[in-house]
Amino acid sequence: MTKKIGVLALQGAVTEHLQALTKLGVTATAVKSPADLEGVDGLIIPGGESTAIGRLIREQGLEEPLRKFFDAGKAIFGTCAGLILCSTDSSHAPDELRLGFIDIAVERNGFGRQVDSFEALLAFVGLAEPVEAVFIRAPYIRSIGDDVRVLASIDGKIVAAENDRVLVTAFHPELTDDLTVFEYFLKKIS
């Protein structure tokens, strides 16, 4: 049976995620409203601007449906801004949305501004080969909870982590031809 993966399509690198999933033979669908979550087996919250995406989640009435989706045991993958939104970290502006799917504290724009963007090959736990990683105004993970496992770090900063159903990366796997991180995520979907 083909897995159906939703990509939160409010802002950010939506098309690139949909294309990556399609290359893997997965049914990919844009999620813009609560109804779009019907029949979806897993969800990607893409990079973009976390404050804008959080505001749009609230405006589209998606906050509670996303929490119910998670509570129903579904797998979620947050990339860059998606990592921030999936976190439990409320140390920034108090009105910013945090979905609380993974127990991590985050340093926004941890590697600097847009001009400080870079690419790297990263060792990634569970993958045989290093992954191509594109960092654009990327966050990093300052600390993790007891149920969180570190998957990749660069310069001592955590840039990928997981718990049983949530995968987060500070980088943009959708901006390379390397689909191994997407394949890793798909294994979380039962």
Side-chain angles (χ1 to χ4, degrees):
M1 186 170 126
T2 302
K3 294 174 182 165
K4 183 177 181 183
I5 307 299
V7 177
L8 190 66
L10 302 178
Q11 193 257 348
V14 176
T15 301
E16 294 85 350
H17 279 89
L18 292 168
Q19 290 170 342
L21 291 167
T22 301
K23 286 179 188 173
L24 289 171
V26 174
T27 301
T29 186
V31 173
K32 297 179 181 180
S33 71
D36 295 335
L37 288 168
E38 284 297 314
V40 170
D41 301 306
L43 180 71
I44 296 176
I45 302 175
E49 209 293 305
S50 62
T51 305
I53 296 170
R55 181 178 42 77
L56 291 166
I57 286 171
R58 287 183 169 139
E59 286 176 10
Q60 297 300 316
L62 276 160
E63 184 175 1
E64 196 55 36
L66 287 172
R67 292 183 196 284
K68 286 181 180 173
F69 182 86
F70 176 73
D71 290 343
K74 305 289 182 139
I76 296 174
F77 180 12
T79 65
C80 199
L83 173 150
I84 295 168
L85 288 159
C86 286
S87 78
T88 53
D89 189 347
S90 59
S91 66
H92 303 285
D95 59 332
E96 284 186 24
L97 177 68
R98 294 296 181 267
L99 294 165
F101 297 154
I102 186 167
D103 187 9
I104 57 174
V106 179
E107 184 66 35
R108 292 174 58 153
N109 300 320
F111 293 96
R113 301 177 330 176
Q114 188 88 14
V115 297
D116 301 311
S117 300
F118 65 98
E119 295 181 28
L121 281 177
L122 289 179
F124 195 101
V125 173
L127 297 178
E129 299 293 326
V131 299
E132 295 177 46
V134 177
F135 293 85
I136 302 171
R137 282 183 39 213
Y140 67 82
I141 300 168
R142 285 194 321 264
S143 63
I144 61 170
D146 292 339
D147 68 335
V148 178
R149 181 168 82 130
V150 174
L151 298 173
S153 298
I154 188 168
D155 298 332
K157 297 173 179 173
I158 302 167
V159 294
E162 70 177 346
N163 62 23
D164 60 338
R165 289 182 287 124
V166 179
L167 171 65
V168 290
T169 63
F171 56 90
H172 291 267
E174 77 282 5
L175 297 181
T176 74
D177 292 327
D178 182 350
L179 301 176
T180 54
V181 175
F182 288 101
E183 292 170 334
Y184 187 90
F185 169 63
L186 293 175
K187 292 177 184 170
K188 289 187 167 298
I189 299 165
S190 49

